[in-house]
Amino acid sequence: EALPAVNAQKLTQILDDAAKLAQEADAANNADGLKPRFTQAAYQERAAEYQAKAADNALPGPVAFPTGEVVYAVPQASETWPKSIFVVREAGGETPTAPFGIMLTQSSARDTYKVASIVQLTPDETLPEAAPAEIGAPGIDGLEQPLLIAPEELAAAYADVISNVDGSQYAALFSPDGDSLRTQIADARATVSGEIDANAARIEFQTRASDDPPFGVQTLDGGAIVAVSIEEVEKLSARTQLATLSVQGRTAALAGASSSSLGFETLYTNQLMFYVPSEATGGAIQLLGFANTMTGARQLNANEVTYG
């Protein structure tokens, strides 16, 4: 059987290199320095935070890349590519925080492993039992037994749960235990909706799967740890030609303006890490951790606004 190409020492070197590049890029506020070790949503989110900070230096920068001990590692054992590695690493530093879940991916034999997703895990989260790192585990391509939901359908299903809550056809598949993201999004939307003048503006929300493919590795019980990402779109538009809509902070920084007679569209990216049980084992899909970042904002065009 195939064995993982990355041992514990090599994995630590990869993570330390990513941490060094992140630290340098954070200090320079320059996303170009991330490219050798970051990709997909992990790159997009950090780059967006640099862009916002460049426009408004008072905004906070990204959360520091973890530098502590590796406490859980599942490299994919495969002779084909792409390959994934799931790692849990302590944050490091003086202030104790929940560890981070990191999904690394290697596109081909000649490419370096890159951070595709990084989330802070839910405190006291229990991870499923996995094969020892020196043995590795199969990836999520070509599963011997189906998961509760196919990896490529996972992001869209969870996005539907965010949109429709208990009315979603997928609601029963996902455990609400430890899933604070649902509450966080619902509370944020309620706050925004309550702050606008309904006579002058309307607010609309959409949640959708991102274009990023799923990454993951299998666990010993036939399930899998899967990383996906979803996007939230928030559209604030004018109801009347006399309205002037205002935004501030990161929205204004990314949109390049703090007021508009038409409105604004804001994009949030959520990196998500799930444990998905096998269809045979059953149970519920568990959200292990997430990262939520505003990754885009723009002013609306005239053809995107309907008055009345």
CSV table of all heavy atoms in Angstrom, one decimal, residues 190-211:
chain,number,residue,atom,x,y,z
A,190,ALA,N,-29.2,40.0,11.6
A,190,ALA,CA,-30.2,40.7,12.3
A,190,ALA,C,-29.8,42.1,12.7
A,190,ALA,O,-30.6,43.1,12.7
A,190,ALA,CB,-30.6,39.9,13.6
A,191,THR,N,-28.5,42.2,13.1
A,191,THR,CA,-28.0,43.6,13.5
A,191,THR,C,-28.0,44.5,12.3
A,191,THR,O,-28.4,45.7,12.4
A,191,THR,CB,-26.6,43.4,14.1
A,191,THR,OG1,-26.6,42.6,15.2
A,191,THR,CG2,-26.0,44.8,14.4
A,192,VAL,N,-27.5,44.0,11.2
A,192,VAL,CA,-27.4,44.9,10.0
A,192,VAL,C,-28.8,45.3,9.6
A,192,VAL,O,-29.1,46.4,9.2
A,192,VAL,CB,-26.7,44.1,8.8
A,192,VAL,CG1,-26.8,44.9,7.5
A,192,VAL,CG2,-25.2,44.0,9.2
A,193,SER,N,-29.7,44.3,9.6
A,193,SER,CA,-31.1,44.6,9.2
A,193,SER,C,-31.8,45.6,10.1
A,193,SER,O,-32.6,46.5,9.6
A,193,SER,CB,-31.9,43.3,9.1
A,193,SER,OG,-31.4,42.4,8.2
A,194,GLY,N,-31.4,45.6,11.4
A,194,GLY,CA,-32.0,46.5,12.3
A,194,GLY,C,-31.5,47.9,12.3
A,194,GLY,O,-32.1,48.8,12.8
A,195,GLU,N,-30.3,48.0,11.6
A,195,GLU,CA,-29.6,49.3,11.6
A,195,GLU,C,-30.0,50.2,10.4
A,195,GLU,O,-29.8,51.4,10.4
A,195,GLU,CB,-28.1,49.1,11.6
A,195,GLU,CG,-27.6,48.7,13.0
A,195,GLU,CD,-26.1,48.4,12.9
A,195,GLU,OE1,-25.5,48.3,11.8
A,195,GLU,OE2,-25.5,48.2,14.0
A,196,ILE,N,-30.6,49.6,9.4
A,196,ILE,CA,-30.9,50.4,8.2
A,196,ILE,C,-32.3,51.0,8.3
A,196,ILE,O,-33.1,50.6,9.0
A,196,ILE,CB,-30.8,49.5,6.9
A,196,ILE,CG1,-31.9,48.5,6.9
A,196,ILE,CG2,-29.5,48.8,6.8
A,196,ILE,CD1,-32.1,47.8,5.5
A,197,ASP,N,-32.4,52.1,7.5
A,197,ASP,CA,-33.7,52.8,7.4
A,197,ASP,C,-34.5,52.1,6.3
A,197,ASP,O,-34.1,52.2,5.1
A,197,ASP,CB,-33.5,54.2,7.1
A,197,ASP,CG,-34.8,55.0,6.9
A,197,ASP,OD1,-35.9,54.4,6.9
A,197,ASP,OD2,-34.7,56.2,6.7
A,198,ALA,N,-35.5,51.3,6.6
A,198,ALA,CA,-36.2,50.5,5.6
A,198,ALA,C,-36.9,51.3,4.6
A,198,ALA,O,-37.2,50.8,3.5
A,198,ALA,CB,-37.2,49.6,6.3
A,199,ASN,N,-37.1,52.6,4.9
A,199,ASN,CA,-37.7,53.5,3.9
A,199,ASN,C,-36.7,53.9,2.8
A,199,ASN,O,-37.1,54.3,1.7
A,199,ASN,CB,-38.4,54.7,4.5
A,199,ASN,CG,-39.5,54.3,5.4
A,199,ASN,OD1,-40.4,53.5,5.1
A,199,ASN,ND2,-39.6,54.9,6.6
A,200,ALA,N,-35.5,53.9,3.2
A,200,ALA,CA,-34.4,54.4,2.3
A,200,ALA,C,-33.6,53.3,1.6
A,200,ALA,O,-33.1,53.5,0.5
A,200,ALA,CB,-33.5,55.3,3.0
A,201,ALA,N,-33.6,52.1,2.2
A,201,ALA,CA,-32.7,51.1,1.7
A,201,ALA,C,-33.3,49.7,2.0
A,201,ALA,O,-34.1,49.5,2.9
A,201,ALA,CB,-31.3,51.2,2.4
A,202,ARG,N,-32.8,48.7,1.3
A,202,ARG,CA,-33.2,47.3,1.5
A,202,ARG,C,-31.9,46.5,1.6
A,202,ARG,O,-30.8,46.9,1.0
A,202,ARG,CB,-34.0,46.7,0.4
A,202,ARG,CG,-33.4,46.7,-1.0
A,202,ARG,CD,-34.2,45.8,-2.0
A,202,ARG,NE,-35.5,46.3,-2.1
A,202,ARG,CZ,-36.0,47.2,-3.0
A,202,ARG,NH1,-35.1,47.8,-3.8
A,202,ARG,NH2,-37.2,47.5,-3.0
A,203,ILE,N,-31.9,45.5,2.4
A,203,ILE,CA,-30.8,44.6,2.6
A,203,ILE,C,-31.2,43.2,2.2
A,203,ILE,O,-32.2,42.7,2.5
A,203,ILE,CB,-30.3,44.6,4.1
A,203,ILE,CG1,-29.0,43.9,4.2
A,203,ILE,CG2,-31.3,44.1,5.0
A,203,ILE,CD1,-27.8,44.6,3.8
A,204,GLU,N,-30.3,42.5,1.4
A,204,GLU,CA,-30.6,41.2,0.9
A,204,GLU,C,-29.3,40.3,1.2
A,204,GLU,O,-28.2,40.8,1.1
A,204,GLU,CB,-30.8,41.2,-0.6
A,204,GLU,CG,-32.1,42.0,-1.0
A,204,GLU,CD,-32.1,42.2,-2.5
A,204,GLU,OE1,-31.6,43.2,-3.0
A,204,GLU,OE2,-32.8,41.4,-3.2
A,205,PHE,N,-29.6,39.0,1.5
A,205,PHE,CA,-28.5,38.1,1.9
A,205,PHE,C,-28.5,36.9,1.0
A,205,PHE,O,-29.6,36.4,0.7
A,205,PHE,CB,-28.6,37.7,3.3
A,205,PHE,CG,-28.6,38.8,4.3
A,205,PHE,CD1,-29.8,39.3,4.9
A,205,PHE,CD2,-27.4,39.5,4.6
A,205,PHE,CE1,-29.8,40.3,5.8
A,205,PHE,CE2,-27.4,40.5,5.5
A,205,PHE,CZ,-28.6,41.0,6.1
A,206,GLN,N,-27.4,36.4,0.6
A,206,GLN,CA,-27.3,35.2,-0.2
A,206,GLN,C,-26.1,34.4,0.4
A,206,GLN,O,-25.0,34.9,0.7
A,206,GLN,CB,-27.1,35.5,-1.6
A,206,GLN,CG,-26.9,34.2,-2.5
A,206,GLN,CD,-26.4,34.5,-3.9
A,206,GLN,OE1,-26.1,35.7,-4.2
A,206,GLN,NE2,-26.4,33.5,-4.8
A,207,THR,N,-26.2,33.1,0.5
A,207,THR,CA,-25.1,32.2,0.9
A,207,THR,C,-25.0,31.1,-0.2
A,207,THR,O,-25.9,30.5,-0.6
A,207,THR,CB,-25.4,31.5,2.2
A,207,THR,OG1,-25.8,32.5,3.2
A,207,THR,CG2,-24.2,30.8,2.7
A,208,ARG,N,-23.7,30.9,-0.6
A,208,ARG,CA,-23.5,30.0,-1.7
A,208,ARG,C,-22.1,29.2,-1.5
A,208,ARG,O,-21.3,29.7,-0.8
A,208,ARG,CB,-23.5,30.7,-3.0
A,208,ARG,CG,-22.3,31.7,-3.1
A,208,ARG,CD,-22.5,32.7,-4.2
A,208,ARG,NE,-21.3,33.6,-4.3
A,208,ARG,CZ,-21.3,34.8,-4.9
A,208,ARG,NH1,-22.5,35.2,-5.5
A,208,ARG,NH2,-20.2,35.5,-5.0
A,209,ALA,N,-22.0,28.1,-2.2
A,209,ALA,CA,-20.7,27.4,-2.2
A,209,ALA,C,-19.7,28.2,-3.0
A,209,ALA,O,-20.0,28.9,-4.0
A,209,ALA,CB,-20.8,26.0,-2.8
A,210,SER,N,-18.4,28.2,-2.6
A,210,SER,CA,-17.4,28.9,-3.3
A,210,SER,C,-16.9,28.0,-4.5
A,210,SER,O,-17.4,26.8,-4.6
A,210,SER,CB,-16.2,29.2,-2.4
A,210,SER,OG,-15.4,28.0,-2.2
A,211,ASP,N,-16.1,28.5,-5.3
A,211,ASP,CA,-15.5,27.7,-6.4
A,211,ASP,C,-14.4,26.7,-6.0
A,211,ASP,O,-14.0,25.9,-6.8
A,211,ASP,CB,-15.0,28.6,-7.5
A,211,ASP,CG,-16.2,29.4,-8.2
A,211,ASP,OD1,-17.3,28.9,-8.2
A,211,ASP,OD2,-15.9,30.5,-8.7
